[in-house]
């Protein structure tokens, strides 16, 4: 298969995101696990997806739900064992499902042996060179080395016992790795081989644009960051991922690199998708776009125009484990999303949001490229905004002293069946799910929706089935059709059209697929 070969599976795959803690609990401890996933793979096959992306499943103290990895080559005991992961990969492959795992290069856990060693070895040691340790400022070195702020709130530096400070762009339990150190680079290429050798078909690269830092670690004004930015989207990152691409291409069935890159500048974004780098990256402009015909046309056109020169496929994504679920977003007066403006608890009309989510499903699954489905969106689940504060787990909640609720509301365990929590998420007699499920989810379980032609689940199933069989869908070109204001209409050859009506006049917020020949 050649680079960016049009027959490459990932160019038009429908990829289902499994948030491991919340998909299905096979062992009864109230936390999702690999046993639960293995027992429910049939759901994914029937849904009609082509691949599964698993959020981090590695051993972790879970300070950031597994994005604080203490061993990149094993499975957290709460989720299962390495042997189970291998069996899961084999099960998925037997059902024709590809497997993508999350790799987290920007940081590891403070419990990772490298960081423990760095703490023990002390200032000036080679072990500290794997991270960003610095003396503090101020008279006794008791002020952080610079003014950088953590993305989760608070300073980006924590002081250790001997007086040095270390950098963490996220939680203090997630020390940033120093990618100028060749040992870090070798280690991650080896981690990739470890999983690729076990049959993993691709990796989702966490916080991919953040890994390189300006070694001067100078202060900057966050309202007017310098160019290049001290830690975001620096030119040095590209060489790292070119190295990863060489590893991925070293396999007879090349493995896929998928970037998590939040960048407002499309031209900079596309640099990651050059032929010798990543294969695809999440389209967060589309995710954050208002439910508005003009705005959507603008994002779709800009996406396709930017991807064309590098011949990378576009991706389409509505939700994931970091954002407010789109049923809730689309029911609000302001339907946009940014991390800075999450609008927690802003009033949301669920019926309206659901109608729009149905239309959005037909719209995004008809666009050229690959599409992501975040677990539960196929059930029409909404953001759970009333989780009691003492149960919230996201470090964002505590790091911002409650000013931000964080992301738990989109991570609530899935409802599978039955009329009471845990709705089949765990076997009978288990511990309560790690986050409470709304009672109303009894009507939104897989079992409740299965066979109901009006349900979100059956809509996704029908659309994904057609997506697989219609030659016009997936990778390829699209052409806008003349349409009244507020209506998106486009053709896909051969003989297919998608119409989405957002004009405000009935039947507004609906979409249809048409066979035109
Ligand atoms: C992005 C992940 O999607 C998010 O869940 C995580 O908290 C941060 N990266 C840090 O790893």
């Amino acid at each position: 298969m050649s680079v960016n070969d049009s027959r490459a599976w990932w160019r038009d795959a429908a990829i289902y995101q499994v948030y491991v803690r919340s998909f299905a609990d096979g062992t009864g401890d109230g936390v999702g696990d690999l046993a639960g996933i293995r027992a429910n793979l049939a759901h994914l096959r029937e849904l009609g997806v082509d691949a599964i992306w698993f959020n981090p499943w590695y051993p972790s103290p879970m300070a950031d739900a597994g994005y604080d990895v203490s061993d990149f080559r094993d499975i957290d005991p709460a989720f299962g064992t390495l042997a189970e992961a291998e069996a899961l990969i084999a099960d998925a492959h037997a059902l024709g499902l590809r497997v993508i795992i999350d790799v987290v290069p920007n940081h590891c856990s403070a419990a990772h042996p490298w960081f423990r060693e760095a703490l023990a070895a002390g200032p000036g040691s080679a072990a500290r060179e794997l991270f960003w340790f610095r003396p503090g400022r101020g008279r006794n070195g008791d002020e952080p080395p610079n003014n950088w702020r953590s993305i989760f709130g608070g300073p980006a530096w924590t002081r250790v016992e001997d007086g040095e400070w270390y950098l963490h762009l996220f939680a203090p339990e997630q020390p940033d790795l120093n990618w100028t150190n060749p040992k870090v680079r070798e280690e991650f290429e080896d981690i990739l081989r470890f999983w690729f050798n076990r049959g993993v078909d691709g990796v989702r690269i966490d916080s991919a644009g953040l890994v390189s830092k300006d070694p001067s670690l100078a202060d900057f004004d966050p309202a007017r960051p310098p160019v290049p930015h001290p830690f975001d989207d620096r030119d040095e990152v590209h060489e790292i991922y070119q190295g990863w691409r060489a590893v991925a291409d070293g396999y007879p069935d090349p493995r896929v690199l998928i970037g998590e890159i939040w960048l407002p500048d499309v031209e900079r974004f596309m640099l990651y998708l050059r032929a010798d780098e990543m294969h695809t990256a999440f389209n967060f402009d589309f995710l954050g776009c208002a439910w508005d015909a003009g705005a959507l046309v603008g994002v779709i056109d800009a996406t396709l125009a930017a991807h064309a020169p590098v011949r990378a496929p576009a991706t389409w994504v509505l939700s994931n484990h970091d954002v407010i679920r789109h049923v809730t977003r689309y029911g609000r007066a302001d339907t946009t999303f940014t991390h800075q403006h999450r609008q927690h608890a802003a009033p949301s009309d669920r019926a309206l949001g659901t109608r729009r989510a149905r239309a959005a499903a037909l719209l995004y699954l008809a666009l050229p490229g690959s599409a992501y489905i975040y677990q539960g969106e196929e059930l029409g689940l909404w953001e759970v905004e009333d989780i009691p504060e003492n149960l919230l787990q996201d470090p964002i909640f505590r790091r911002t002293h409650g000013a931000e609720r964080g992301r738990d509301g989109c991570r609530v365990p899935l409802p599978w069946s039955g009329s009471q929590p845990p709705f089949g998420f765990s076997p009978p007699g288990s511990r309560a799910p790690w986050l409470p499920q709304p009672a109303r989810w009894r009507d939104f379980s897989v079992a409740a929706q299965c066979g109901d032609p009006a349900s979100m689940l059956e809509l996704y199933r029908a659309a994904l089935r057609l997506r697989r069989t219609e030659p016009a869908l997936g990778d390829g070109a699209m052409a806008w059709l003349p349409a009244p204001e507020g209506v998106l209409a486009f053709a896909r050859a051969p003989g297919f059209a998608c119409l989405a009506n957002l004009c405000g006049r009935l039947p507004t917020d609906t979409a249809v697929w048409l066979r035109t020949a």
Side-chain angles (χ1 to χ4, degrees):
M1 196 154 36
S2 70
V3 172
N4 290 355
D5 187 312
S6 61
R7 285 162 299 143
W9 64 270
W10 41 270
R11 294 190 67 92
D12 48 20
I15 301 168
Y16 187 92
Q17 179 187 351
V18 168
Y19 195 71
V20 179
R21 304 178 69 71
S22 300
F23 185 74
D25 167 21
T27 59
D29 60 358
V31 175
D33 47 40
L34 303 193
I37 298 167
R38 290 185 72 195
N40 287 289
L41 277 181
H43 169 67
L44 301 184
R45 188 176 156 72
E46 267 163 50
L47 186 57
V49 297
D50 307 296
I52 316 171
W53 149 35
F54 296 106
N55 282 103
W57 55 13
Y58 315 103
S60 163
M62 303 289 167
D64 181 22
Y67 282 96
D68 46 323
V69 180
S70 55
D71 180 355
F72 288 93
R73 296 182 183 80
D74 205 349
I75 298 294
D76 193 273
F79 296 150
T81 62
L82 185 57
E84 255 179 308
E86 288 169 348
L88 169 56
I89 295 167
D91 290 352
H93 285 168
L95 291 174
L97 298 165
R98 309 259 181 175
V99 172
I100 294 159
I101 62 165
D102 223 307
V103 170
V104 188
N106 181 66
H107 43 265
C108 60
S109 162
H112 190 285
W114 276 10
F115 193 73
R116 287 174 187 264
E117 204 184 318
L119 287 185
S125 61
R128 287 212 174 174
E129 285 303 310
L130 298 172
F131 299 91
W132 294 98
F133 277 89
R134 288 290 183 278
R137 294 196 293 198
R139 252 192 326 142
N140 301 315
D142 49 12
E143 284 166 33
N146 69 22
N147 71 343
W148 297 6
R149 306 289 295 169
S150 153
I151 292 162
F152 286 168
W157 295 90
T158 291
R159 198 172 195 189
V160 302
E161 264 180 23
D162 54 49
E164 280 207 323
W165 298 71
Y166 67 90
L167 175 71
H168 51 85
L169 290 183
F170 293 92
E173 296 87 349
Q174 295 167 295
D176 279 46
L177 289 159
N178 175 1
W179 276 84
T180 64
N181 192 313
K183 201 169 161 195
V184 173
R185 200 179 275 235
E186 279 160 30
E187 172 71 355
F188 272 85
E189 292 188 0
D190 194 63
I191 291 164
L192 292 180
R193 283 190 206 96
F194 178 89
W195 289 104
F196 291 158
N197 291 345
R198 280 165 179 74
V200 161
D201 301 282
V203 291
R204 176 259 188 198
I205 309 169
D206 184 67
S207 302
L210 300 181
V211 298
S212 294
K213 276 85 188 176
D214 174 0
S216 75
L217 301 177
D219 281 348
F220 72 99
D221 175 1
R224 261 168 302 151
V227 179
H229 192 281
F231 58 76
D232 193 10
D233 183 38
R234 294 179 62 79
D235 286 342
E236 304 91 277
V237 295
H238 295 290
E239 215 203 314
I240 295 169
Y241 299 124
Q242 283 157 1
W244 289 29
R245 179 63 176 252
V247 173
D249 285 348
Y251 288 79
D253 185 8
R255 309 305 207 246
V256 176
L257 307 180
I258 304 165
E260 189 216 10
I261 305 158
W262 294 84
L263 271 187
D265 180 336
V266 205
E267 285 182 13
R268 294 289 305 178
F269 180 87
M270 294 322 300
L271 295 178
Y272 292 80
L273 301 183
R274 288 172 291 186
D276 61 348
E277 219 168 304
M278 297 181 194
H279 297 77
T280 66
F282 297 100
N283 185 346
F284 294 122
D285 288 343
F286 183 74
L287 183 153
C289 182
W291 183 249
D292 169 85
L296 285 164
V297 169
V299 168
I300 293 167
D301 279 345
T303 300
L304 297 175
H307 283 70
V310 286
R311 296 176 54 229
T315 69
W316 308 101
V317 44
L318 294 167
S319 278
N320 68 27
H321 65 293
D322 290 329
V323 309
I324 304 275
R325 281 192 180 272
H326 61 273
V327 161
T328 301
R329 292 191 334 251
Y330 287 161
R332 288 171 169 167
D334 177 353
T335 51
T336 60
F337 176 84
T338 64
H339 285 289
Q340 296 70 31
H341 185 48
R342 299 174 67 86
Q343 306 182 66
H344 171 74
S348 176
D349 175 340
R350 193 174 301 148
L352 177 64
T354 303
R355 203 163 69 234
R356 290 176 172 170
R358 292 177 66 88
L362 292 188
L363 172 67
Y364 96 123
L365 292 173
L367 290 169
S370 65
Y372 288 83
I373 299 140
Y374 175 49
Q375 68 175 40
E377 91 174 55
E378 81 280 19
L379 303 177
L381 300 187
W382 56 89
E383 185 80 4
V384 184
E385 301 199 276
D386 57 357
I387 301 171
E389 291 192 350
N390 63 324
L391 297 179
L392 292 177
Q393 313 253 337
D394 188 349
I396 291 180
F397 177 65
R398 270 167 252 293
R399 299 263 314 159
T400 61
H401 306 288
E404 290 286 337
R405 291 272 301 185
R407 302 160 293 178
D408 292 299
C410 65
R411 300 174 174 180
V412 173
L414 290 191
W416 289 92
S417 59
S419 56
Q420 290 178 30
F423 302 119
F425 171 71
S426 300
S430 302
R431 286 184 62 174
W434 70 280
L435 286 174
Q437 301 155 304
R440 286 230 35 219
W441 279 11
R442 67 174 172 267
D443 301 326
F444 292 82
S445 70
V446 175
Q449 298 193 39
C450 201
D452 172 359
S455 69
M456 188 72 88
L457 177 58
E458 292 299 347
L459 177 75
Y460 267 80
R461 282 181 176 167
L464 287 164
R465 203 175 308 129
L466 274 169
R467 199 183 141 94
R468 279 194 155 182
T469 51
E470 276 293 320
L473 293 180
D475 198 20
M478 63 170 272
W480 292 111
L481 298 169
E485 206 181 324
V487 175
L488 284 87
F490 58 92
R492 306 279 328 259
F496 181 94
C498 175
L499 268 60
N501 179 18
L502 285 70
C503 78
R505 287 187 303 279
L506 289 175
T508 192
D509 300 312
T510 51
V512 287
W513 285 2
L514 301 171
R515 200 163 271 136
T516 55

